Amino acid sequence: MTEQTQPNLLATDIEAYLKVHENKDMLRILTCGSVDDGKSTLIGRLLYDSKMIFEDQMAAIEKDSKRFNTTDNDFDLSLLVDGLQSEREQGITIDVAYRYFATDQRKFIIADTPGHEQYTRNMATGASTCDLAIILIDARHGVQVQTRRHSYICSLLGIKNVVVAINKMDAVGYEQSVYQNIKKDYREFAQDLSFDDVRFVPISALRGDNVVNESEAMSWYPGSTLMKLLNTVQVKHAKNDEFRLQVQYVNRPNLDFRGFSGTVAAGDIRVGDTVASLPSGKESKVKSIVTFDGDLEKASAGMAITLTLEDEIDVSRGDMLVRPHQKPHSADNFEADVVWMTEEALHVDREYEIKVGSKSVYGYAEVINYKVDVNTLEQQEASQLNLNEIGNCQFALTAPVQFDAYDVNKHTGAFIVIDRLTNVTVGAGMIRKPLDGKGNKPKSEYSAFEVEFNALVRKHFPHWDAKVIR
């Protein structure tokens, strides 16, 4: 269906138009890079040149541009996504902003993430659900520390497709040599990352060169525009047919109904299939698959469902429903990569809450194997992880958890680290493999009360050796 026929269909048959739109492929995109590389302006340009902005939005942006403009132009496209007052006053992105738009080829959800090192945790959050990353580089400055950090985090989080957009080419006179040098530098850095497909495109988000429309000023560039790349790139998703449902809620509206609700993380399930509840291992058959729109015979990955079983077996929030012959790892020790997200460092002697899916247990980093220098990707010795540092750790837990390796299944292989005193998320991790454990008892020499008391002492009396307090 062409661009010309879709509006006609919208006017004549709204149901047919919605059906066409519903069946389009969905691509989740992340924009990242260093400070002031033009991420928000690029998204604004994509929406503006694709005619995805309503008239009232245009009027509001024109008004706000006079008040907050940081581009010396009459129209500041970055204000389309920088919606917070503090973002507009400073001309920076602080939180992750999501925008939705669609073309004839596919639908897009695009996440605009902050470039400042202080907000790396926000960037990691935005990257965790994306299929493709647009990594912006300012043509005036080349590859920066944040460019490397964000690229490494994208690689850790399993993003395989990358478009490197070399922005602000207008500021360097559209020089081909500048583009080629940055392209060479980035390729050298990224050769050790786990990207499958890396594309490069020279653009000017401010002026619109090679974003949606081809640039007359860069006739030396033979490739596609950014929008054409986004419309045509083929993203390969790791195929995992092993059924996984992490139980988020036990649904018991009355005495006659007991269902187990969650989102299918992988595989599919049918009425009559046998499932096992972990960690208990008890088995039963699926009696019904209940959804908001009615009962189904089959459910597949990504669907929010409630399963009812033929037998009354013990299933609680945090348990995992799987096929009996396709069980995940179950361990109280594992190795994981961690992005640390708070000012107070990760200490190997401190107990945290570890949340894997919907299951929470207590545990701590038994050993920090190494931290990574984002400039060189060199592995360095470390006794702690500080804000925005990335390291590989061995975790010991107070009880077994069920998981797959992150490379196999993002949904069941990810976890967060929560401070027990403040309930703040302080780290995000990707499980790489299980380790041999020696039981389910806490490995710490301190009780839970002593751990919390010592943490309070360290916080308020940093020079006091809290380890002597018993």
Side-chain angles (χ1 to χ4, degrees):
M1 184 167 294
T2 66
E3 220 170 299
Q4 288 73 28
T5 59
Q6 278 207 41
N8 295 334
L9 188 61
L10 176 61
T12 58
D13 191 343
I14 185 63
E15 290 188 3
Y17 173 82
L18 291 175
K19 190 67 176 177
V20 170
H21 189 70
E22 179 184 352
N23 292 330
K24 289 179 182 176
D25 179 37
M26 170 71 79
L27 184 68
R28 295 177 180 271
I29 305 171
L30 169 81
T31 60
C32 56
S34 193
V35 179
D36 290 333
D37 280 349
K39 297 176 287 296
S40 300
T41 302
L42 173 63
I43 296 176
R45 174 60 65 182
L46 279 170
L47 297 173
Y48 182 77
D49 285 359
S50 301
K51 297 179 173 50
M52 296 290 172
I53 306 173
F54 296 109
E55 290 184 5
D56 59 337
Q57 288 179 300
M58 289 283 293
I61 294 302
E62 288 175 1
K63 179 181 178 181
D64 289 343
S65 292
K66 296 176 182 178
R67 180 181 176 191
F68 298 109
N69 184 34
T70 58
T71 62
D72 296 326
N73 282 350
D74 293 334
F75 193 75
D76 187 354
L77 290 169
S78 69
L79 297 182
L80 281 166
V81 284
D82 286 342
L84 299 178
Q85 180 78 8
S86 55
E87 290 179 322
R88 295 186 168 200
E89 289 174 349
Q90 299 177 71
I92 64 172
T93 300
I94 295 175
D95 202 358
V96 182
Y98 294 92
R99 288 295 179 270
Y100 168 88
F101 69 102
T103 64
D104 284 350
Q105 287 75 26
R106 59 182 15 151
K107 298 178 287 188
F108 300 92
I109 295 176
I110 189 163
D112 180 29
T113 62
H116 286 64
E117 181 178 352
Q118 179 182 352
Y119 304 111
T120 298
R121 56 186 179 273
N122 298 31
M123 177 268 160
T125 301
S128 62
T129 59
C130 289
D131 308 309
L132 177 144
I134 301 175
I135 298 175
L136 272 85
I137 299 177
D138 190 327
R140 300 170 300 173
H141 306 310
V143 178
Q144 301 292 298
V145 173
Q146 277 297 81
T147 312
R148 295 184 175 95
R149 178 180 281 109
H150 285 185
S151 298
Y152 182 61
I153 292 174
C154 287
S155 176
L156 276 182
L157 290 170
I159 295 177
K160 300 297 184 182
N161 294 76
V162 169
V163 176
V164 181
I166 300 173
N167 192 24
K168 304 188 181 181
M169 289 297 296
D170 57 305
V172 295
Y174 299 104
E175 285 290 332
Q176 182 179 7
S177 60
V178 174
Y179 166 72
Q180 294 293 354
N181 288 336
I182 295 175
K183 182 177 177 180
K184 176 176 176 290
D185 290 344
Y186 189 86
R187 279 199 182 278
E188 289 177 355
F189 162 75
Q191 63 183 353
D192 295 326
L193 300 179
S194 60
F195 297 142
D196 291 341
D197 183 22
V198 180
R199 312 284 184 93
F200 295 85
V201 54
I203 66 170
S204 170
L206 187 63
R207 300 185 181 277
D209 295 285
N210 281 341
V211 179
V212 174
N213 304 311
E214 293 183 2
S215 171
E216 296 180 1
M218 289 183 282
S219 56
W220 45 262
Y221 170 68
S224 303
T225 64
L226 178 62
M227 180 59 86
K228 186 173 181 180
L229 286 175
L230 297 180
N231 274 324
T232 57
V233 66
Q234 297 299 314
V235 177
K236 294 181 180 179
H237 297 280
K239 189 172 178 60
N240 187 351
D241 295 327
E242 297 184 347
F243 174 68
R244 300 284 186 266
L245 178 72
Q246 294 168 311
V247 178
Q248 299 172 352
Y249 175 65
V250 178
N251 191 347
R252 191 72 187 271
N254 55 59
L255 293 175
D256 300 321
F257 186 93
R258 183 167 175 258
F260 310 105
S261 303
T263 300
V264 181
D268 54 52
I269 194 71
R270 295 176 180 273
V271 173
D273 286 351
T274 300
V275 294
S277 173
L278 301 179
S280 70
K282 299 292 185 180
E283 297 182 12
S284 183
K285 289 187 176 181
V286 177
K287 182 178 179 181
S288 65
I289 302 173
V290 182
T291 71
F292 179 79
D293 296 316
D295 291 2
L296 302 176
E297 284 297 314
K298 176 185 175 182
S300 53
M303 298 178 65
I305 62 172
T306 296
L307 291 184
T308 66
L309 305 179
E310 292 183 357
D311 305 293
E312 292 291 337
I313 64 174
D314 181 18
V315 182
S316 304
R317 172 178 166 81
D319 290 354
M320 185 184 291
L321 296 176
V322 302
R323 297 185 190 276
H325 61 285
Q326 296 176 340
K327 293 181 179 179
H329 300 295
S330 181
D332 60 354
N333 296 71
F334 57 72
E335 179 184 316
D337 292 314
V338 178
V339 181
W340 199 245
M341 299 179 169
T342 188
E343 296 282 352
E344 188 172 351
L346 167 66
H347 295 281
V348 295
D349 62 345
R350 183 171 180 185
E351 196 168 51
Y352 299 92
E353 181 181 343
I354 309 295
K355 188 172 183 182
V356 183
S358 53
K359 183 166 186 173
S360 295
V361 298
Y362 295 122
Y364 69 105
E366 196 171 30
V367 177
I368 299 177
N369 295 326
Y370 57 82
K371 68 178 181 180
V372 178
D373 183 329
V374 295
N375 281 303
T376 63
L377 300 185
E378 178 187 359
Q379 297 177 359
Q380 302 174 340
E381 289 187 6
S383 59
Q384 63 182 38
L385 291 182
N386 296 313
L387 175 65
N388 295 324
E389 288 188 332
I390 302 165
N392 181 273
C393 305
Q394 296 178 22
F395 281 86
L397 311 180
T398 58
V401 292
Q402 289 67 50
F403 60 87
D404 296 287
Y406 186 85
D407 294 337
V408 175
N409 191 322
K410 287 185 179 183
H411 303 287
T412 58
F415 68 97
I416 57 174
V417 184
I418 301 171
D419 187 287
R420 294 184 61 184
L421 296 177
T422 64
N423 205 34
V424 171
T425 300
V426 294
M430 292 72 69
I431 302 174
R432 299 307 174 191
K433 61 182 181 181
L435 299 173
D436 292 332
K438 296 181 180 180
N440 302 329
K441 295 181 180 180
K443 311 298 192 290
S444 175
E445 61 177 307
Y446 300 108
S447 69
F449 170 78
E450 287 169 334
V451 168
E452 295 186 4
F453 181 73
N454 288 346
L456 277 174
V457 172
R458 276 197 300 268
K459 182 176 181 181
H460 296 288
F461 304 98
H463 301 296
W464 194 344
D465 185 5
K467 290 186 179 182
V468 302
I469 300 174
R470 295 305 300 260

